[in-house]
Amino acid sequence: MTTIPSRQLFIDGEWREPVKKNRIPVINPSTEQIVGDIPAATAEDVDVAVKAARKALKRNGGKDWASATGAHRAKYLRAIAAKITGKKELFSKLEAIDCGKPYDEAAWDIDDVAGCFEYNADLAEALDKKQNAPIELPMDTFKCHVIKEPIGVVGLITPWNYPLLMATWKVAPALAAGCAAILKPSELASLTCLELGEVCKEVGLPAGVLNILTGLGPDAGAPLAAHPDVDKIAFTGSSATGSKIMTAAAPNVKPVTLELGGKSPIVVFDDVDIDKAVEWTLFGCFWTNGQICSATSRLILHESIAKEFLDKLVKWAKNIKISDPLEEGCRLGPVVSSGQYERVLKFVETARSEGATILSGGQRPQHLKKGFFIEPAIITDITTSMQIWRDEVFGPVLCVKTFSSEEEAIELANDTHYGLGSAVISNDLDRCDRVTRAFDAGIVWVNCSQPCFCQAPWGGKKRSGFGRELGEWGLDNYLSVKQVTRYISNDAWGWYTPPSPKL
């Protein structure tokens, strides 16, 4: 039995009770039981955390953190990575209990968390070598160089589908850059993010450099986004909330990075190995219990292989082990909450009422009487006006449409307000290249779906947001570029006529 740690807010290097002393229950989505609680921050706590972050930036003239070398900060990032690796089993179990993610997936995520901290430690060290980079100028009487500085105090608002990993995508580069941060994880899955606070204490991260506030979006996230002393907001979540965050940031002309929803296509041509393509199609949509912004949840399938492909797809889907996430071999756990459960089932019912065919799944598995479990749904007979084609479900639901020509496939793929992920599966690599270029999306997967590496940029177009996380692009989000130009000639500038000397 995994004990759920009871934590307070992590502010200025210490655990602090919320000003209003409220807490939010933690519900295990597999059992529907309350297994613990988390502190509920409000605007008053946001103020305290922002002051702590601002103080951390300025402490010792910035030498403790903001203007320290990247190598100095990298030591802390590596220490955090090592601690998380040492606590991998605890972190993995907490993720599984908190958000319903299969244990094997959660363990993979925790490996990625440690890898992301390590990678950003490398970037922090490399930043030292890039400082004072010279700029070539057309006039030899001037010298110019560039300094990269931390953008300041940053607010990081993260989702519940990859609780610690999505937080790390923001926390690691923000700290590598020398920022001080306030992390606000989703109230639906905050346990591992709070444990990150304990890790920071254990490695001696300077007080106030990372503050962690759990709480409801309107009570804690909104005042963080609007706070005049927060220099930037980075957000991952729904497009609707992203729009609100932009609005909150606008009066202070505060930069935002938004990684929002998706309705990503996977285009499968008729020259594929069907079993391999079926598995990637399933993985692309049902991995993370279907709760992934980049899910390739629209299968665009060549009509000549549709019957055989769908027959196999249903058989493979029925073979997925649906169980408590901590049970060995689990490949599909529950969705995160009762609200999400009802929402996904309503999507399936609406598709049926609009004339679509529920080929498989879309209901509670018969062997599981408790928990927010939904059999992976495969839905056919789709028209492009249907809600299931247009709106993000954020659950294990795949909709299918067939095509006859490459041009039609591209048109269907781009028929969305979103533009995050996309996938093409074909043995014709020239065709894959053409389709890759034609996709209106920030990420393209060729002959696969969903691989993600912290070295490669991640982000979308259209209503999927803007800005890029991960890779060097992720670090750039948290840096401000300062141009320094020096006049090096001994001659006077000579633009104005000097006044006549006095007699």
Side-chain angles (χ1 to χ4, degrees), residues 2 20 45 78 116 136 138 246 295 308:
T2 302
K20 293 191 173 171
D45 304 299
R78 293 194 202 287
C116 193
E136 289 277 331
M246 284 182 79
E308 183 186 357

Side-chain angles (χ1 to χ4, degrees), residues 70-71 74 120-131 472 475:
N120 278 279
D122 292 343
L123 290 185
E125 289 168 343
L127 188 60
D128 291 338
K129 298 184 184 75
K130 292 178 182 175
Q131 292 291 24
E472 294 183 21
L475 185 68

Side-chain angles (χ1 to χ4, degrees), residues 263 265 298 300 382-386 389-391 401 408-418 439-440 462:
K263 192 73 180 177
R298 291 185 302 133
I300 298 165
I382 300 285
T383 64
T384 57
S385 61
M386 287 180 182
W389 177 262
R390 307 217 71 80
D391 293 352
K401 196 149 178 46
E408 185 188 3
I410 290 165
E411 191 176 327
L412 287 167
N414 289 335
D415 179 31
T416 173
H417 293 304
Y418 295 105
F439 279 152
D440 200 9
K462 300 192 280 189

